[in-house]
Amino acid sequence: MDVFALRDRLVSDYEEFTRSFINVRDPRINEVVDRELSEGLLWPESLIQLNPSFAPGASIDDLAAEGVLHEASRAIFRRNKTEGAGGQAGSTTLRLHRHQEDAIRVAATGANYVLTTGTGSGKSLTYIVPIVDRVLREGPGRGIRAIVVYPMNALANSQAGELEKFLKFGFPNNSGPATFRRYTGQEKEEERAEIIASPPDILLTNYVMLELLLTRPFEKGLIEAAKGLRFLVLDELHTYRGRQGADVALLVRRVREATKATQLQVVGTSATLAGGETVDESKVEIASVAGRLFGALVEPANVVGETLIRSTAPEQPDDTAWVASLRARIESTAPLPSEAAAFVADPLASWIEGTLGLTEEPASGRLIRARPRSIGGDQGAAAVLADITGLPVDRCTDAIRETLFAGFRVALPGSAFPVFAFRLHQFFSRGDTVFASLEAEMDRYVTTQGQQFVPGDRERQLLPLSFCRECGQDYYTVGRHKDLSGTYTYEPRELSDVTAVEDRDRGFLYIGTESPWPDHVDGESGRVPDDWLEEMADGRMAVKSDRKKDLPSIVHVGLDGRESPAGLRVAWVPAPFKFCLVCGVEYSGRQTRDLGKLSTLGSGGRSSATSLLSLTAVRSLRHDETLEPRARKLLAFTDNRQDASLQAGHLNDTVEVGLLRSALYRAAMGAGAAGLGHDELAGKVADALALDVADYAIDPAVKFAARAQTDAALRDVLGYRLYRDLERGWRVTAPNLEQAGCSRSTTSRSTS
């Protein structure tokens, strides 16, 4: 598939989604926002990262012959095994990467160790192989020999699948020489009881469940079975930091004590661990951090990193002949090399690997991963290549992309891995808002970068702006407090802030040069909502007494946010936002949250943005004929279970709303100019949905009167959902037809 085209579709949909919430009345602010968005404020250039080639190491057979591993390891760790007793046929010995071999050799010494290598480097084998080797040497069925702790259940589930291939496939009855079980809290009660009654050799869990195992009496049998524990593995070590890191560090110590593990090896793996300037300095720092986490010594020599090698010939940027060949290669319209030998000698392939894949550590000359880099942009790879060759940036961009795709289709000599396995990282930001100084509209400083003061001028405070969702009028979002002298000071606050703070009022500041708020408001001014007025005895209209406290008041504020007689004349609007001072749209007292009334650059919402991007990706995958059907899937990760539950529900709601609205659209189009009446709306929408009975009936085989009742219930539910969906204002990120400009009715000035 063309991942760059997918990226462009994602950006296009996200840009359209984001801009749909931005309504800015001030032309200067609108120009700034439009320019910043067009330049990728919320979707910067994507970053490209090549998966490097790892230096080869020994095979499992080699290590078994040497005595580092048990002889039975030969039959366990093989490639291409299948289920059943005959699953060894056609399989081959597993050849390791250099770092995997190094880690296995360290494990054989009994020392604690840490593996810190990149994604896709086979980190799990660096502890699975030593664990299985220990079980083979001591004999299976002697209790839990190893506990592997994952930060997420998804990782435990994935590892269980990999272990199945090694420890079950190729053995009679899928019963290998070592047993493993997953115990993460997602198992049924019967399965838990079975695991407690018959503990495995290897237990896969998460740190929360491991904590519970130490405290819950009915699971005491698992801790008893782990007496003399030999391995404790902490996968994805970088996730354990801060308070959580302290919790895990104490957990390691409690496990060691509870299991009386006098010969415990603690192992950590991580793709990303901060360190020093050089590889050796990093090892010292990582060993120190791991030692504190493990509660045991970790030698810097036992911090195992990756050993990288080039797949292509080294580039020669100082050789004019080589640069000329590079230029000729980019200008050429000939097909790219499809044979491995020709491709790895290609000058552009060499340059790409040396720019996007590998770089040399200055102190040692050792090959390390290059930082991810964009192709486009002023500092992107295409601009650098254009500077070297003197060719147009657009042509260099196309050449880089074409070569990356070609490298993915060419396998390394003697390997199934491609020359260029690359990843594209695209970051999407929800954004913040616009910030402006407290000055007249034509003079104020405007920026989308959050900061306290105007750059270079600490006398001019910057305050965040919010915009009326109806007309786009801007309001400074502020809080104010009174100092000892009785003077108010105005400070920035979040629009979502609904918590009252002692000695601090929440509100907004309004300039409105074209339509300033008057010093005194009466019932004849037309500046307040009609239902705020009452008729007096003399026939005049006046503001109701209980509404006067909600009226804006005139204040004068200086550039530093303090009230001053010489300051800018503005109107103080107390929160919650009651009505717009320009367009007059009014909000009822039930709507206490201002997020539904005013917008910022980040008003789209994280969950809505994630759902949009997910659905765009899925649609693109489904229409890509170059992918196998099983590959047309999307895997999404979140930080925690709560976020996962929230996002799953939001995705389901988004899909349901989309289906409902599309069915309404289809039904309305089918009705033609006559339209749909209230009495037939739900039925026509149900017909347009064309749901299978099993989609909405408990008993899909229901017939006769019961079927009629079931269908009637569906129509009733659809009718409720249709009118609820069309209700104005209850969903900011899913506006109704009227708000989206698709209704023939006239927009009301009042919302409920």
Side-chain angles (χ1 to χ4, degrees), residues 411-493:
L412 287 166
S415 169
F417 296 102
V419 177
F420 287 157
F422 69 95
R423 286 174 287 169
L424 184 149
H425 302 272
Q426 179 61 55
F427 297 91
F428 292 92
S429 170
R430 187 179 64 171
D432 193 352
T433 190
V434 180
F435 297 82
S437 57
L438 266 171
E439 299 174 90
E441 283 103 335
M442 294 304 298
D443 301 325
R444 60 186 173 182
Y445 180 85
V446 178
T447 179
T448 58
Q449 308 300 319
Q451 48 200 308
Q452 190 174 0
F453 303 102
V454 172
D457 190 347
R458 296 181 63 85
E459 297 298 323
R460 300 164 68 192
Q461 183 180 206
L462 287 173
L463 296 171
L465 295 176
S466 300
F467 304 92
C468 173
R469 290 188 180 273
E470 294 294 325
C471 70
Q473 175 60 42
D474 57 271
Y475 295 87
Y476 292 90
T477 309
V478 297
R480 70 176 185 179
H481 65 86
K482 187 181 295 186
D483 60 23
L484 295 178
S485 67
T487 302
Y488 278 112
T489 298
Y490 297 83
E491 300 174 338
R493 70 173 179 88

Side-chain angles (χ1 to χ4, degrees), residues 381-395:
V384 175
L385 185 58
D387 185 58
I388 294 173
T389 61
L391 296 173
V393 172
D394 289 346
R395 178 58 198 137

Side-chain angles (χ1 to χ4, degrees), residues 518-539:
D519 292 323
H520 302 286
V521 178
D522 56 34
E524 309 299 330
S525 67
R527 298 298 296 269
V528 296
D530 293 341
D531 61 357
W532 285 37
L533 304 176
E534 61 181 352
E535 187 175 357
M536 307 303 290
D538 58 2

Side-chain angles (χ1 to χ4, degrees), residues 151-154 207-208 244 606 636-648:
M152 294 186 296
N153 287 347
Y207 79 94
V208 175
Q244 187 183 49
R606 184 179 64 178
F637 288 94
T638 60
D639 291 338
N640 51 60
R641 295 182 184 180
Q642 290 78 9
D643 274 355
S645 299
L646 171 66
Q647 192 60 57

Side-chain angles (χ1 to χ4, degrees), residues 672-694:
L676 294 171
H678 168 72
D679 57 338
E680 59 179 344
L681 178 64
K684 293 295 185 181
V685 170
D687 294 340
L689 278 174
L691 296 175
D692 188 84
V693 180

